[in-house]
Amino acid sequence: GQNIDQPTEMTATEGAIVQINCTYQTSGFNGLFWYQQHAGEAPTFLSYNVLDGLEEKGRFSSFLSRSKGYSYLLLKELQMKDSASYLCAVRDQTGANNLFFGTGTRLTVIP
Amino acid sequence: EPEVTQTPSHQVTQMGQEVILRCVPISNHLYFYWYRQILGQKVEFLVSFYNNEISEKSEIFDDQFSVERPDGSNFTLKIRSTKLEDSAMYFCAGQRQRTTYEQYFGPGTRLTVT
């Protein structure tokens, strides 16, 4: 089975930095993904990690430790538009590369 | 920039009725997926589709569900006899090839079963 855990809600201040953690226990592993989902909209891709370490992409960075089953998404210079749910997802190692999602972390950015 | 499209955006149906949800993936995508998200819950994998056949399906994808790619462009999800618990947002997603990692999600169809 797949078990992916992330905090339900977080609040942070505009201009600040926030780290959203994700831990996973999965039967297979072929990459960890972070998606952003605004209310009522589709998930949009943010980042992908398959090897240990940090991937940086503008204001967003994502870290992976496979031995610990742990990842985090780091958002810098927070903007009001960053208020959204952030979904951690693991790609199963089976041939079809299906994504298994966590419940998401709802981030609220306050002025 | 090409996008995944889905129709309808919202479908209301009575319990026991059949519904067909439609998706037009990006043209150079080879792998297709259906996910659903019950209100307030996580996104759940339903089925994956490659080379005109199902690659993998979850426990949710029982005999009431079926998928087709009837004409090489549209990708459909059919629910034969809807139940109240089928009410959810249904997302179609596409992936260019197995070695790429990004799945492009469509805007979703909100299905409401009454």
Side-chain angles (χ1 to χ4, degrees), chain B residues 97-108:
Chain B
Q97 52 185 302
R98 183 174 169 166
T99 52
T100 61
Y101 46 80
E102 184 171 351
Q103 291 186 14
Y104 291 83
F105 281 73

Side-chain angles (χ1 to χ4, degrees), chain B residues 8-52:
Chain B
S9 57
H10 190 190
Q11 171 98 42
V12 181
T13 190
Q14 287 190 328
M15 193 168 55
Q17 296 296 305
E18 175 183 284
V19 294
I20 298 176
L21 310 183
R22 291 183 168 82
C23 169
V24 180
I26 298 171
S27 61
N28 63 352
H29 283 188
L30 301 177
Y31 293 81
F32 311 105
Y33 307 83
W34 282 102
Y35 294 87
R36 79 170 186 191
Q37 186 176 31
I38 295 170
L39 186 63
Q41 297 187 24
K42 65 182 178 181
V43 177
E44 298 174 290
F45 165 72
L46 293 178
V47 65
S48 56
F49 193 83
Y50 169 70
N51 203 23
N52 290 320

Side-chain angles (χ1 to χ4, degrees), chain A residues 61-108:
Chain A
S61 304
S62 57
F63 172 83
L64 175 67
S65 169
R66 289 171 296 169
S67 62
K68 295 181 180 176
Y70 168 70
S71 172
Y72 67 72
L73 179 70
L74 195 70
L75 291 77
K76 302 176 188 174
E77 300 168 18
L78 280 173
Q79 303 175 8
M80 299 300 289
K81 67 179 182 180
D82 296 330
S83 292
S85 286
Y86 291 86
L87 316 181
C88 174
V90 172
R91 187 164 68 179
D92 192 271
Q93 205 162 20
T94 57
N97 297 323
N98 320 310
L99 294 179
F100 295 92
F101 284 84
T103 52
T105 299
R106 184 180 303 172
L107 174 67
T108 302

Side-chain angles (χ1 to χ4, degrees), chain B residues 59-76:
Chain B
E59 293 174 352
I60 302 168
F61 195 88
D62 60 22
D63 292 343
Q64 294 299 312
F65 290 87
S66 62
V67 288
E68 277 190 336
R69 196 154 186 247
D71 56 12
S73 61
N74 291 291
F75 180 46
T76 63

Side-chain angles (χ1 to χ4, degrees), chain A residues 22-72:
Chain A
C22 171
T23 57
Y24 63 90
Q25 296 109 35
T26 55
S27 54
F29 182 82
N30 193 19
L32 188 139
F33 298 75
W34 285 95
Y35 277 78
Q36 181 190 60
Q37 186 179 29
H38 285 99
E41 297 183 11
T44 55
F45 171 79
L46 288 178
S47 71
Y48 166 71
N49 295 72
V50 67
L51 300 176
D52 291 351
L54 189 69
E55 294 283 340
E56 296 187 77
K57 202 176 184 183
R59 294 190 300 115
F60 294 73
S61 304
S62 57
F63 172 83
L64 175 67
S65 169
R66 289 171 296 169
S67 62
K68 295 181 180 176
Y70 168 70
S71 172
Y72 67 72

